[in-house]
Amino acid sequence: MSKKWLLAISLGAALISGQVSAEDKLRIGTEGAYAPYNFMNDQGKLAGFEIDLGNELCKRTQMTCEFVVNEWDSIIPNLLAGNYDAIMAGMSITDERKKSITFSEEYKPVDPSLYAAKKDTQLDFDKLEGKNIGVQGATIQATFVQDKWAAKNTIKAYEKPDQSLADLMAGTVDAVLADGEFIRTAVEGSNGELVVIGPSEMIGGGIGIGMRPDDAKLHEKLNAALAEMKKDGSLDELIKTYFKVGPFYKK
């Protein structure tokens, strides 16, 4: 065999190896600022429910996880631009989002959204007027408060959810609406400074993995792995660890 043939075979093998390697890596975009779904721990590393879930899904699909921290307001555009392959960021499945991306089956049921306020705050949600309500921008809660409260109140949208909590503590806003688990986590960690107040709001759908519409193969693989986790009870166990609720999926 000539040296040219050996070189061609070697290059071909390298290309094939590179393709396999690319296919075996799953790049997951997440916010890193929405505990307990995803957050930065005391060591400055990503942690949380979705980080553990993502790693387990990669294990079951024989892929290597690579998490990419991305700001919430550009998380869908950067998925569509190819900067990562999937979104796991506490993202509710909605018809509006389905216009641009596709979703896996849910990996956590819909959770009521809750309001947080400083302790001793008195708010009449039947006649709410002249108040400042904080919310993270580009979320289902942002759309909800705009429709429900904007006529007689001021809505303040924030890039990051912890910014809304900081302004709540500072008295700049009177209440913050967010996913119930995020609000409960914030209240529990506030040393009694924050409380849950007012009604719970049932908005949005369950939480799912966002993907590009043309990524049918990945969609199929992740749905199959989620179905396995639901069937064997491991998804319920993970939810119980972080949210103290369930079981939801194992019958």
Side-chain angles (χ1 to χ4, degrees):
M1 186 177 293
S2 70
K3 291 183 178 180
K4 287 185 178 181
W5 275 106
L6 285 170
L7 180 60
I9 293 171
S10 177
L11 288 172
L15 288 170
I16 293 170
S17 175
Q19 290 170 354
V20 171
S21 176
E23 290 173 359
D24 285 348
K25 180 183 288 186
L26 178 62
R27 299 169 301 160
I28 301 174
T30 194
E31 188 180 13
Y34 207 63
Y37 288 94
N38 57 83
F39 57 92
M40 306 303 291
N41 64 19
D42 293 338
Q43 289 74 47
K45 295 182 179 181
L46 278 170
F49 167 65
E50 289 168 320
I51 309 308
D52 287 352
L53 176 57
N55 282 320
E56 180 62 24
L57 291 173
C58 283
K59 179 180 176 181
R60 292 179 183 236
T61 55
Q62 298 183 329
M63 291 188 284
T64 300
C65 273
E66 179 183 302
F67 289 94
V68 180
V69 177
N70 196 98
E71 299 290 344
W72 173 259
D73 60 359
S74 63
I75 204 164
I76 289 179
N78 276 323
L79 170 71
L80 297 175
N83 293 332
Y84 32 81
D85 311 301
I87 295 171
M88 295 182 71
M91 182 173 283
S92 297
I93 301 168
T94 67
D95 290 338
E96 183 64 28
R97 288 171 180 152
K98 285 181 180 178
K99 293 177 182 178
S100 57
I101 64 174
T102 187
F103 284 94
S104 68
E105 296 297 317
E106 69 171 38
Y107 55 78
K108 187 179 180 296
V110 60
D111 183 51
S113 294
L114 299 175
Y115 297 92
K118 293 186 73 172
K119 65 178 181 179
D120 301 325
T121 297
Q122 300 294 321
L123 295 175
D124 184 353
F125 282 86
D126 291 325
K127 301 176 183 178
L128 200 62
E129 187 172 350
K131 302 300 180 182
N132 295 310
I133 304 172
V135 69
Q136 185 179 15
T139 62
I140 56 174
Q141 290 83 12
T143 302
F144 178 85
V145 296
Q146 188 67 35
D147 292 341
K148 187 170 183 177
W149 302 120
K152 295 183 178 181
N153 300 275
T154 300
I155 310 303
K156 295 192 173 184
Y158 296 86
E159 183 179 352
K160 294 177 178 293
D162 55 356
Q163 293 170 339
S164 67
L165 294 178
D167 265 12
L168 180 62
M169 293 292 289
T172 306
V173 294
D174 301 292
V176 166
L177 180 68
D179 176 272
E181 297 296 350
F182 174 77
I183 291 295
R184 280 188 282 269
T185 300
V187 168
E188 289 170 4
S190 71
N191 294 319
E193 292 299 310
L194 299 179
V195 296
V196 175
I197 192 172
S200 59
E201 310 284 14
M202 293 298 294
I203 51 180
I207 306 299
I209 305 170
M211 290 166 280
R212 288 182 290 275
D214 59 356
D215 229 339
K217 184 177 179 181
L218 179 62
H219 192 280
E220 182 180 343
K221 289 174 73 172
L222 292 179
N223 267 345
L226 283 171
E228 286 180 1
M229 292 187 69
K230 290 177 180 180
K231 186 176 181 179
D232 66 23
S234 56
L235 182 53
D236 280 327
E237 290 176 8
L238 199 56
I239 292 172
K240 187 74 171 179
T241 297
Y242 281 95
F243 303 103
K244 309 298 187 291
V245 294
F248 297 107
Y249 299 113
K250 185 171 174 59
K251 306 300 181 183

